[in-house]
Amino acid sequence: AAMTVTLQDVRQHSDALKVLWQLLEERPPEANISHDGHLPEWTDHRAHVETHDHMGWYLIMAEGIPVGAVYITKKGEIGIGILKAHQRKGYAKAGIKAVMAKHPREEYLANVAPTNGPSHNLFQRLDGELIQYTYRIKP
């Protein structure tokens, strides 16, 4: 049976900042694509959440508690994070399917760090097709 989750906008849940912060704290270095592994200042974290320009950013709720978060950008890029205590239970796949149902479009993208095996496995299970590698060049 498919896992049932609901999505709650991060700007409308009192614990969202704490949950998103915990996801940052728990993120393994090999999963980082958007920052260098150093945690932002709390005030910067709060400002980012409050002023984000994603199409949608949600807590993934299961049985009334947040188990992770998912966002979708205006370009259709999906980002997902599941709290350590709730990993490997199907919440990531369910959260991605829920955000796709809420924001239907012809295709979605997911940027995954090369060494992040669990995320590669997840998107392959969702019939994702690897379409590019991205290189960062620092002069």
Side-chain angles (χ1 to χ4, degrees):
M3 169 78 52
T4 303
V5 298
T6 57
L7 300 179
Q8 184 153 14
D9 191 297
V10 295
R11 291 177 176 146
Q12 295 171 352
H13 191 285
S14 59
D15 287 333
L17 285 171
K18 285 187 275 187
V19 173
L20 295 170
W21 184 262
Q22 187 177 344
L23 284 167
L24 284 175
E25 287 184 318
E26 291 180 356
R27 175 178 282 186
E30 62 272 13
N32 287 328
I33 56 169
S34 58
H35 65 90
D36 58 11
H38 293 96
L39 289 175
E41 296 293 325
W42 178 259
T43 50
D44 295 335
H45 171 66
R46 181 170 52 218
H48 176 66
V49 174
E50 290 172 352
T51 64
H52 78 80
D53 67 347
H54 299 319
M55 189 179 297
W57 194 0
Y58 309 97
L59 291 184
I60 301 168
M61 306 294 293
E63 295 170 9
I65 63 161
V67 296
V70 62
Y71 66 81
I72 182 168
T73 68
K74 292 172 181 161
K75 294 179 184 174
E77 300 158 322
I78 294 174
I80 182 91
I82 303 297
L83 293 167
K84 268 202 169 91
H86 301 289
Q87 288 177 356
R88 307 201 55 76
K89 297 177 183 176
Y91 293 127
K93 191 171 181 181
I96 290 167
K97 286 185 178 283
V99 86
M100 291 190 312
K102 193 172 189 80
H103 298 278
R105 55 192 297 138
E106 219 169 278
E107 68 175 17
Y108 303 86
L109 300 172
N111 298 308
V112 179
T115 53
N116 187 347
S119 281
H120 287 283
N121 292 338
L122 167 67
F123 288 106
Q124 287 165 7
R125 284 197 310 276
L126 288 162
D127 294 325
E129 171 196 7
L130 184 62
I131 58 168
Q132 75 175 31
Y133 292 103
T134 303
Y135 293 89
R136 174 175 36 224
I137 304 151
K138 295 182 179 180

